[in-house]
Amino acid sequence: MPLTRLKASAVLFALCATTAQAETMATGRNAYGMPGTIDMPSALSFPDADLSVAHSRFQVESRTSLAFQITPRLTGAFRYSYIGAGFSYDRSFALQYRLLDEGRFVPAIAVGVNDLIGTGQYGGEYIVATKSVGPALRFSAGMGWGRLGSYNGFTNPLGAIDKGFETRPARVVGQGGNLELDQWFRGNAALFGGVEWQVNDRLRVMAEYSSDAYPFQNGKTFNRDTPLNFGISYAVTPQWTVDARYMYGSELGLQATFAMNPKERPKYGAGYDPAPPPVRVRGQQALVATEESLETRLRRDLGAQGIVLNGLTVQGGTATVEVANGRYSQDAQAVGRTARVLTRQMPDTVDRFTIILARNGMPVTSVMLSRDDLEQLEFDRDGTEFSVARATLRDTTTGVTPLADRYPRSGAAIEPYFRPSYFDPDAPVRADLGIALGGVMEPLPGLRFSGRIERKIIGTLSESNRVSDSVLPHVRTDSSIYDREGETALTELTGAYFFRPAPQVFGRVTVGYLERMYAGVSTEVLWKPDGKRYALGAELNYAIQRDFDQDFGLQDYSVVTGHVSGYYELPNDYHVQLDVGRYLAGDYGATLSLDREFENGWRVGAFATLTDVPFNDFGEGSFDKGITVAIPLDFVTGRPTQRKNYVPLRPIQRDGGAKLSVSGRLYEEVRGAKNTDLLDGWGRFWQ
């Protein structure tokens, strides 16, 4: 056995034999953005929900990784790499699962797969153990296959279980998109290991023995002279970390990482949420005398809180208001602020409030509150728990008669827009920046007309000159032509009607120019029962492809498309959605989406679509898949707003599995105001 292998085996033995108790040390990120030392993995995990972007580079190879701690044990990453030696850009996913926690006598153990459903450039699997010795020293050692078994390899020990594991089937590196399960943990294996020393709370020093021979790069883009790597990592701030490395005896490497946790409130940009109005206690504070009508006073005070008053009735001791939350990400906060305003403006004879939350003119949920409870619990230490226990929430299909001058209502705004495009094989990032003029008119409850015109000012989206090679109808792969010919574009011009056909049921009909590429008719119905974490919806659309200049013209292509959708809210903020139906290219299949959404509005998720289009006909990527990140703007600015910045990270956009984009889809519109989500966000009721 070679000396280097003996050394690695000795390290692994020492890890398992040590009895030192682990202390807290920073979890390092390797050059792939995953838990690791320098280029090799470790068996650690990031803090739950940790989200990071890392960019590493050495010689001509660079990697940009988005990593997310999906669960406390499961880590995932999407990676976009530039590889020399004629391989250009590469996209890949990675997953690692921590099987065993570190204890007094045992190391942490994890198993991982690199280049999951990728092209095979980084294909490899591993099992790794990590053990801390004291508060500042940590060792890792493991066994790898594929790329991680390519240097100083030996016969696969799994061959003792099944001889088939001793051979790794040949793979043609190419379009990717397949799991390639027949390759996992097969072929030669090799050992790797590393050591980390936490010098202080900012500085970490690392060294490792790598089992990656870099078969596609060695001798072509750089010389791999030794399996040893050395590095230092410095935490500039709690969010920013920089790493410097000397890799494989020939190259210097650098990495910059930005990490944050969407479970936490930011330590910057906060504190701009205005304080709520205090509750007026009857008998202790008199109602302020004024000649203004009750309706005028309520509209003014609710408007100051970002809440629109749709209607008002007062009967006996009960006041009922219908409101639209236009500001707060949690509807419970809008309910709380509405209740506070009611205490300040309603006469003392009114002792009960019914607050109806409306969405696009549709009544969704009524919240009944006792005025006595509001007066007693405002400053109670357990006021949140008591107030939610005493509130009554009900589905409601009937709202309040609108105020005399509530409709028609209209508004317009001019704002900048930013439209990025990622992972073009010819350029990793393209983007346009411009000005958009948008307008909305609501002539009646539930009836809404919307329009948006965009004018590009500067950008690079039009520079893409790739010609679609798709054998399917070009339902999405001609998007670059829309970018070139639509510098001034009518991106939306629609009329939509939202209605309640039955209890727990919502409906929508939208007609017009639905999105940049399609016009038509979209219809939808959603069943969202109270007190349940599931919902069921159905959507049917007739879509006509628009002219490339995004004026009023239409092309010859049209299609009937639609889906039946199931939604379920899992514990710990997970949401799963399954859409089954027909897509824009006429293909049939299903899309599975899994998201993790936090109370502050952050959302991180992934989706995959499989249809009856063969992988070869689909083209590069084999099937549609990607990652989505939704960033609430109030997290950044500290000012309450419902707006979010959606960042879709799709390795490549093809025609198979393509869906119509329609604004106002019902599940996202109404679920925040339904009682399950409303109760989940009740922690902001008094804020």
Side-chain angles (χ1 to χ4, degrees), residues 175 466-481 517-518 545 557 584-587 611 613-622 652-658:
Q175 71 181 28
R466 292 180 62 85
V467 177
S468 173
D469 61 354
S470 177
V471 300
L472 301 174
H474 293 187
V475 296
R476 288 300 183 197
T477 53
D478 284 340
S479 61
S480 61
I481 306 177
M517 297 179 66
Y518 290 93
Q545 198 160 20
Y557 183 78
L584 284 171
D587 48 331
T611 73
V613 174
F615 288 173
N616 288 336
D617 289 348
F618 182 92
E620 183 179 357
S622 299
I652 191 165
Q653 175 74 74
R654 301 290 292 182
D655 294 314

Side-chain angles (χ1 to χ4, degrees), residues 27-31 33-34 36-37 46 50 52 204 245 255 257 259:
T27 300
R29 288 174 170 82
N30 63 19
M34 294 287 283
T37 48
F46 303 127
D50 184 272
S52 66
R204 190 165 46 92
R245 296 148 176 173
Q255 177 166 312
T257 303

Side-chain angles (χ1 to χ4, degrees), residues 43-232:
L44 303 176
S45 301
F46 303 127
D48 184 36
D50 184 272
L51 180 67
S52 66
V53 177
H55 180 76
S56 67
R57 185 178 181 90
F58 76 97
Q59 187 48 279
V60 297
E61 178 153 346
S62 64
R63 304 169 190 154
T64 301
S65 303
L66 175 71
F68 181 59
Q69 193 64 40
I70 303 169
T71 72
R73 293 182 179 273
L74 181 64
T75 312
F78 172 73
R79 186 178 308 108
Y80 189 71
S81 307
Y82 174 79
I83 307 172
F87 291 106
S88 188
Y89 297 103
D90 182 78
R91 299 165 294 272
S92 61
F93 294 89
L95 286 176
Q96 175 176 298
Y97 187 79
R98 193 176 78 253
L99 298 169
L100 184 66
D101 296 335
E102 181 178 357
R104 181 175 179 83
F105 298 102
V106 297
I109 297 177
V111 62
V113 178
N114 288 333
D115 209 357
L116 189 75
I117 61 176
T119 63
Q121 291 290 324
Y122 293 106
E125 308 79 47
Y126 59 89
I127 183 167
V128 60
T130 297
K131 190 73 179 72
S132 299
V133 180
L137 193 62
R138 183 164 59 207
F139 294 92
S140 293
M143 182 181 298
W145 292 261
R147 277 282 294 260
L148 296 180
S150 59
Y151 178 76
N152 207 13
F154 49 85
T155 301
N156 192 343
L158 295 178
I161 302 174
D162 184 340
K163 285 291 185 181
F165 281 100
E166 294 182 357
T167 304
R168 194 177 184 93
R171 177 178 180 181
V172 178
V173 175
Q175 71 181 28
N178 297 319
L179 283 175
E180 306 286 351
L181 293 175
D182 61 340
Q183 293 214 340
W184 288 9
F185 301 97
R186 296 178 184 270
N188 279 356
L191 297 175
F192 60 85
V195 59
E196 304 167 76
W197 175 35
Q198 190 81 39
V199 180
N200 53 46
D201 59 352
R202 290 177 178 263
L203 181 64
R204 190 165 46 92
V205 178
M206 306 88 70
E208 72 177 12
Y209 170 87
S210 170
S211 60
D212 188 345
Y214 275 77
F216 300 114
Q217 292 88 3
N218 187 20
K220 300 174 184 177
T221 62
F222 79 101
N223 293 321
R224 188 186 186 282
D225 295 331
T226 172
L228 300 178
N229 297 323
F230 305 91
I232 60 172

Side-chain angles (χ1 to χ4, degrees), residues 298-581:
L298 281 177
R299 176 179 288 175
R300 179 196 63 220
D301 288 2
L302 288 172
Q305 303 300 315
I307 299 167
V308 177
L309 179 64
N310 291 343
L312 164 69
T313 62
V314 180
Q315 294 182 342
T318 301
T320 303
V321 294
E322 180 183 311
V323 297
N325 171 24
R327 177 176 294 175
Y328 305 101
S329 58
Q330 293 288 347
D331 281 296
Q333 188 172 5
V335 171
R337 296 217 171 193
T338 300
R340 287 172 176 271
V341 169
L342 291 175
T343 67
R344 301 187 66 78
Q345 298 298 347
M346 285 294 168
D348 290 357
T349 55
V350 173
D351 57 12
R352 295 198 64 82
F353 302 143
T354 298
I355 300 169
I356 299 174
L357 288 169
R359 284 282 195 275
N360 288 320
M362 289 186 299
V364 178
T365 298
S366 65
V367 182
M368 287 163 277
L369 302 167
S370 164
R371 193 168 183 174
D372 288 337
D373 292 340
L374 294 170
E375 294 172 354
Q376 295 169 11
L377 299 176
E378 181 183 15
F379 301 110
D380 193 291
R381 184 177 61 180
D382 299 316
T384 298
E385 290 78 7
F386 288 143
S387 62
V388 70
R390 299 176 187 179
T392 303
L393 280 65
R394 293 177 181 169
D395 177 77
T396 181
T397 60
T398 305
V400 179
T401 301
L403 302 178
D405 58 349
R406 171 63 176 85
Y407 297 99
R409 186 170 185 261
S410 60
I414 297 177
E415 61 184 7
Y417 77 86
F418 176 72
R419 178 176 295 117
S421 173
Y422 304 104
F423 315 128
D424 185 317
D426 297 326
V429 179
R430 298 185 192 272
D432 280 354
L433 180 66
I435 293 293
L437 171 63
V440 176
M441 184 178 71
E442 299 174 295
L444 297 170
L447 184 59
R448 181 184 179 92
F449 294 97
S450 304
R452 182 179 174 90
I453 298 175
E454 295 180 355
R455 171 62 188 178
K456 172 185 169 181
I457 296 176
I458 190 172
T460 56
L461 291 179
S462 61
E463 295 178 4
S464 175
N465 55 9
R466 292 180 62 85
V467 177
S468 173
D469 61 354
S470 177
V471 300
L472 301 174
H474 293 187
V475 296
R476 288 300 183 197
T477 53
D478 284 340
S479 61
S480 61
I481 306 177
Y482 285 85
D483 294 325
R484 286 197 298 272
E485 299 192 13
E487 293 199 346
T488 300
L490 176 68
T491 56
E492 181 185 359
L493 184 62
T494 59
Y497 182 58
F498 298 85
F499 57 98
R500 296 293 310 271
Q504 319 292 350
V505 180
F506 303 83
R508 173 186 60 83
V509 178
T510 307
V511 181
Y513 294 86
L514 304 173
E515 50 147 292
R516 294 176 63 222
M517 297 179 66
Y518 290 93
V521 180
S522 174
T523 61
E524 183 185 9
V525 63
L526 175 74
W527 175 58
K528 183 74 170 72
D530 275 347
K532 307 297 182 182
R533 293 193 174 271
Y534 54 78
L536 184 65
E539 180 178 297
L540 183 64
N541 313 301
Y542 175 67
I544 310 171
Q545 198 160 20
R546 297 179 60 185
D547 281 348
F548 296 126
D549 61 7
Q550 296 159 78
D551 204 335
F552 294 98
L554 303 173
Q555 300 188 45
D556 292 335
Y557 183 78
S558 62
V559 63
V560 175
T561 175
H563 295 81
V564 173
S565 300
Y567 310 87
Y568 195 83
E569 299 178 22
L570 298 167
N572 299 321
D573 304 315
Y574 294 99
H575 296 254
V576 64
Q577 178 176 339
L578 179 64
D579 304 312
V580 180

Side-chain angles (χ1 to χ4, degrees), residues 16 289 303:
C16 298

